Amino acid sequence: MRSPGPPDPEVDPWQDRLSRSPGVRAVRQWWAQAAEQTDRIGEEAYCERLGELLSRLSPRDFAALGLGCSRRIDRSCREPQTCSQDPVPPPAGERPSLRQGPVAGACSDFWDCYSRFGIRAAFTADDRHRAVTVQGPWSRVMLWVDGVRVEAPGFLDQTGYWVDGRFYVTETSGPDDHPLQGHVGMGTIAILSLVIRDVTTATTHVVDPEPHQDWSDPVAELRDGEWRFYPTLGARDAGRPDRILTALPKAG
């Protein structure tokens, strides 16, 4: 992220956003105090507060902070003259689409490739909902959806995606007693489950694979009111779900 010091208006095209946004100022101040606050309250509490602050930001705030975006994840925004503008509403009757710059309003997804916190933010197409992840102690992923901390029985994945602008889906480690469970190197879990956060009902659902299902890279899709679960991206692309549900499992 950008240096927490005062931006230079001659070299920083996001100067106006950095100075006007209370959310950005709060994150920059907390970021500048990382060493001091971590010593004082510990890494876990520091990351908890960081996630809460980040959960208040807009896409343009994330762009102004210097995170990579869906156009180029390894560097800050190069199109501030366009991306700092107000988003353009879609034509009447059309649903908004995810933005990928350079388009007015900044992109819909952001990545932090350089700090130890590995921040990621994913917005719905209409910017109404956001998911934020921060890597806490021991590289454990901490997740917030619309500012609410979301937890699962196992380790959460850093990436996820929105379904229907209502459900945020991400992976978690599958059941320990699954017949195919194990480690496949570099700490990777063989069998995964899916965590689905419903922002409308504010509930979290965990979908585990059946004992015979080899969910090495599971994908969820909502079609015609049915949830279709695929063991891999390849199975999704081929249209071969191995589990179909008309309702999500009871929230935990």
Side-chain angles (χ1 to χ4, degrees), residues 1 20 25 112 121 145 169 179 221-222 230:
M1 300 212 308
R20 287 191 302 108
R25 291 200 301 270
D112 160 27
V145 177
V169 182
E221 181 181 58
L222 185 59
Y230 304 87

Side-chain angles (χ1 to χ4, degrees), residues 29-56:
Q29 181 179 13
W30 191 246
W31 186 267
Q33 299 172 352
E36 172 190 343
Q37 295 291 358
T38 299
D39 288 342
R40 185 176 70 86
I41 62 177
E43 185 90 352
E44 179 89 13
Y46 178 86
C47 291
E48 184 82 31
R49 179 59 177 163
L50 179 62
E52 293 170 355
L53 292 173
L54 291 167
S55 293
R56 302 173 184 175

